[in-house]
């Protein structure tokens, strides 16, 4: 059964963040808060954990459109091809924030993702998520937690999330109520920015 730990976003406890990172380093799956909806994540470098997430989502890993949660812009550049100034300016305006940007991936992507031409990158405006990635030293591969409830697309209450996921993951963070609006997805891999999904992030950044 998963562990359930409370972490306060305004002042995340170092010991709690370390506990989460230890779980991730050991190939565990973690549910954590972002600036939008709660996410299900694992260490990007752990193949077994990646397989587990794909299995939970019911998809083949090489076909999965997972996001990479990074801690800042320099973290992003490890996995994407050189970008032009206009693209960089959009990223700088928008991040950290409630956006997922689709960008051209480079050859340093984990082998599971190398067949994909693009990757979804997030830098959420959430202290807990950022500090986990910083201490881990590399991105988390992440996917949003959907709810079967037809009224609510996303679960927002950490206790209900724990009840539902406690036997599927290793740790659930209670970082307070989540949002039920997902990130805005913008494809920056072509000549012009293309809005794939309008979510929480405003389009004024384009």
């Amino acid at each position: 059964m998963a562990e359930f730990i409370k972490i306060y976003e305004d002042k995340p406890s170092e010991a709690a963040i370390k506990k989460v990172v230890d779980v991730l380093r050991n190939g565990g799956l973690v549910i954590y808060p972002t600036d939008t909806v709660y996410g299900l994540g694992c260490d990007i470098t752990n193949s077994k954990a990646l397989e587990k997430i794909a299995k939970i989502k019911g998809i083949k890993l090489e076909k999965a459109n997972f996001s990479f949660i990074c801690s800042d812009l320099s973290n992003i550049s490890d996995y994407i091809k050189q970008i032009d100034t206009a693209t960089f300016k959009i990223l700088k305006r928008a991040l950290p924030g409630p956006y997922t940007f689709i960008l051209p991936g480079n050859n340093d992507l984990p082998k599971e993702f190398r067949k994909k031409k693009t990757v979804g990158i997030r830098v959420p405006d959430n202290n807990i998520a950022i500090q986990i990635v910083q201490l881990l030293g590399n991105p988390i591969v992440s996917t949003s937690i959907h709810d079967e409830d037809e009224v609510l697309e996303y679960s927002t209450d950490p206790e209900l999330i724990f009840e539902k996921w406690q036997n599927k993951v290793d740790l659930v963070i209670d970082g307070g109520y989540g949002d039920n609006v997902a990130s805005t997805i913008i494809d920056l891999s072509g000549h012009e920015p293309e809005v794939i999904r309008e979510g929480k992030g405003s389009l004024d950044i384009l």
Side-chain angles (χ1 to χ4, degrees):
M1 189 168 117
E3 218 174 324
F4 189 51
I5 61 171
K6 175 86 185 159
I7 302 181
Y8 295 94
E9 198 211 334
D10 52 353
K11 206 170 187 308
S13 125
E14 278 179 39
I17 296 288
K18 186 178 181 308
K19 184 179 265 192
V20 177
V21 168
D22 288 345
V23 169
L24 289 166
R25 284 201 178 121
N26 289 323
L29 305 189
V30 168
I31 289 177
Y32 67 99
T34 71
D35 52 353
T36 57
V37 299
Y38 267 79
L40 165 65
C42 73
D43 184 339
I44 194 173
T45 63
N46 192 301
S47 301
K48 283 202 174 101
L50 291 170
E51 290 285 0
K52 276 191 228 165
I53 288 192
K55 195 173 173 190
I56 285 175
K57 295 292 276 189
I59 42 182
K60 284 203 160 78
L61 184 52
E62 57 274 15
K63 290 200 164 67
N65 288 322
F66 295 144
S67 305
F68 292 5
I69 304 288
C70 300
S71 57
D72 56 32
L73 279 175
S74 61
N75 207 207
I76 288 175
S77 59
D78 296 343
Y79 295 100
I80 61 167
K81 289 183 176 156
Q82 195 75 36
I83 51 173
D84 59 30
T85 313
T87 304
F88 183 74
K89 280 183 176 162
I90 291 173
L91 295 179
K92 210 157 169 48
R93 270 199 297 275
L95 299 175
Y99 298 90
T100 302
F101 289 107
I102 296 170
L103 293 157
N106 66 18
N107 295 332
D108 292 327
L109 285 171
K111 62 182 187 302
E112 290 83 3
F113 300 104
R114 277 194 208 134
K115 284 189 182 146
K116 294 181 85 66
K117 301 260 188 308
T118 56
V119 288
I121 298 283
R122 284 262 284 124
V123 181
D125 189 9
N126 179 289
N127 256 337
I128 299 168
I130 297 280
Q131 288 194 24
I132 290 168
V133 175
Q134 281 172 342
L135 188 60
L136 182 63
N138 53 258
I140 302 172
V141 164
S142 184
T143 179
S144 301
I145 288 185
H146 285 262
D147 203 306
E148 269 76 73
D149 187 316
E150 285 169 17
V151 183
L152 273 177
E153 194 182 349
Y154 300 101
S155 305
T156 58
D157 181 339
E159 291 189 9
L160 293 178
I161 292 171
F162 177 69
E163 263 175 47
K164 185 179 163 193
W165 288 83
Q166 58 187 341
N167 296 318
K168 293 182 186 169
V169 301
D170 301 278
L171 186 143
V172 176
I173 296 171
D174 174 356
Y177 271 85
D179 208 323
N180 61 355
V181 181
S183 62
T184 292
I185 302 177
I186 301 172
D187 189 342
L188 295 177
S189 65
H191 295 301
E192 291 292 324
E194 184 188 347
V195 179
I196 307 293
R197 175 181 76 195
E198 201 169 336
K200 191 176 173 186
S202 154
L203 300 179
D204 296 352
I205 53 141
L206 296 176

